[in-house]
């Protein structure tokens, strides 16, 4: 990695709690987004299994 990329990553470091956890992980919007992503993945799996059983 070149020095410009490394400097950019150092300047844009994510804010963290004292225990090292990212602050964004406790954001309600991010938790909702990941929850919806999980529900969508589960729904796709159920639909795939249902279509396999029907056909």
């Amino acid at each position: 990695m070149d020095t410009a990329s490394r400097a950019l990553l150092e300047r844009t470091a994510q804010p963290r709690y004292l225990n090292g956890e990212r602050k964004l992980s406790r954001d309600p919007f991010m938790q909702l987004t990941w929850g919806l992503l999980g529900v969508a993945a589960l729904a796709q799996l159920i639909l795939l299994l249902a279509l396999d059983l029907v056909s």
Side-chain angles (χ1 to χ4, degrees), residues 6-55:
R6 191 171 294 123
L8 179 63
L9 287 175
E10 289 173 3
R11 286 195 319 255
T12 58
Q14 291 186 357
R16 296 178 180 265
Y17 289 106
L18 294 177
N19 64 359
E21 179 186 15
R22 289 188 177 113
K23 289 188 175 181
L24 197 57
S25 65
R26 292 191 192 175
D27 183 36
F29 175 74
M30 289 302 295
Q31 289 178 350
L32 178 68
T33 302
W34 281 108
L36 288 175
L37 184 65
V39 167
L42 187 60
Q44 283 187 345
L45 181 61
I46 291 170
L47 286 173
L48 179 68
L49 290 173
L51 285 173
D52 188 41
L53 292 175
V54 168
S55 62

